[in-house]
């Protein structure tokens, strides 16, 4: 099975959200993308890593690869520094993407103990213009100090990526 992994934002061009310590979302998502690709390949999935500034370019690369699943990885941010936790987006709830989103969301919150903000519906560009079940994962809030510590740590990133990979294997097994 072919899986496209998009690290949200683009290091050097678009930092994405920035935490209190200066941690940039684009660097976190780059690392998560690489790690996830590695673990999925170990589990015999074919992967492509896509991190681009242009949203259509991301969709084109995924579609040309023939991706059967598309994952966009992000870190969340809010004006209130109290906001924290994990949420996973899909275009519609009752769909393959909705199922995938629920498996991933459930693995992340149960294994990391992040606040469960649930599976949500949104019309993000990359969800609308990719040709396969697509989800966008907001792993944790870079604007919250507890979540930022998680996102900054090697162990935290490794745990996030393992949880996402288990969510994918749960989805594929059903
Ligand atoms: Zn983002």
């Amino acid at each position: 099975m072919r899986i496209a992994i998009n690290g949200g934002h683009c290091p050097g061009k678009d930092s994405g959200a920035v935490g209190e310590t200066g941690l940039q979302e684009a660097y976190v998502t780059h690392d998560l993308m690489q790690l996830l690709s590695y673990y999925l390949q170990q589990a015999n999935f074919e992967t492509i890593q896509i991190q681009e500034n242009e949203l259509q370019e991301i969709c084109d690369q995924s579609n040309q690869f023939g991706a059967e699943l598309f994952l966009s990885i992000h870190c969340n941010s809010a004006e209130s520094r109290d906001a924290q936790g994990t949420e996973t987006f899909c275009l519609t709830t009752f769909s393959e993407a909705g199922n995938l989103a629920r498996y991933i969301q459930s693995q992340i919150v149960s294994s990391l103990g992040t606040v469960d903000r649930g599976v949500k519906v949104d019309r993000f560009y990359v969800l609308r213009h990719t040709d396969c079940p697509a989800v966008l994962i907001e792993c944790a809030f870079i604007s919250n100090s507890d979540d930022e510590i998680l996102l900054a740590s090697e162990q935290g990133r490794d745990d996030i990526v393992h949880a996402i990979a288990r969510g994918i294997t749960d989805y594929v097994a059903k």
Side-chain angles (χ1 to χ4, degrees):
M1 178 179 252
R2 295 185 170 197
I3 302 181
I5 309 164
N6 164 230
H9 309 279
C10 195
K13 287 185 181 163
D14 164 22
S15 66
V18 181
E20 215 166 14
T21 68
L23 183 67
Q24 294 185 9
E25 177 182 3
Y27 287 102
V28 176
T29 61
H30 183 77
D31 195 45
L32 292 172
M33 171 182 74
Q34 286 188 318
L35 269 176
L36 180 60
S37 176
Y38 174 76
Y39 288 129
L40 289 176
Q41 284 177 6
Q42 300 295 105
N44 289 317
F45 292 101
E46 282 180 71
T47 63
I48 185 173
Q49 299 178 39
I50 308 169
Q51 194 162 34
E52 296 287 345
N53 206 26
E54 293 297 327
L55 296 177
Q56 187 57 50
E57 176 64 23
I58 295 167
C59 300
D60 287 346
Q61 285 190 29
S62 174
N63 295 340
Q64 279 157 20
F65 175 64
E68 291 156 273
L69 297 177
F70 174 90
L71 306 151
S72 188
I73 301 176
H74 288 257
C75 307
N76 221 332
S77 147
E79 253 174 59
S80 163
R81 297 215 171 262
D82 295 334
Q84 60 177 331
T86 304
E87 52 197 27
T88 306
F89 291 89
C90 52
L91 268 185
T92 57
T93 316
F94 297 102
S95 61
E96 288 301 311
N99 293 336
L100 176 62
R102 279 185 287 277
Y103 283 119
I104 291 172
Q105 174 73 15
S106 143
Q107 282 288 352
I108 295 177
V109 298
S110 65
S111 62
L112 282 104
T114 49
V115 173
D116 187 358
R117 301 171 66 93
V119 168
K120 297 183 176 177
V121 167
D122 204 293
R123 295 184 54 75
F124 289 120
Y125 192 91
V126 294
L127 301 183
R128 283 185 288 126
H129 293 91
T130 42
D131 301 340
C132 61
V135 299
L136 186 146
I137 308 160
E138 294 280 8
C139 301
F141 278 73
I142 206 163
S143 53
N144 172 267
S145 52
D146 291 337
D147 277 11
E148 189 184 6
I149 290 168
L150 175 78
L151 292 167
S153 80
E154 223 171 283
Q155 184 64 54
R157 292 181 194 181
D158 201 62
D159 290 345
I160 290 169
V161 163
H162 272 115
I164 296 173
R166 281 196 305 273
I168 293 166
T169 52
D170 287 350
Y171 167 81
V172 170
K174 298 293 150 145

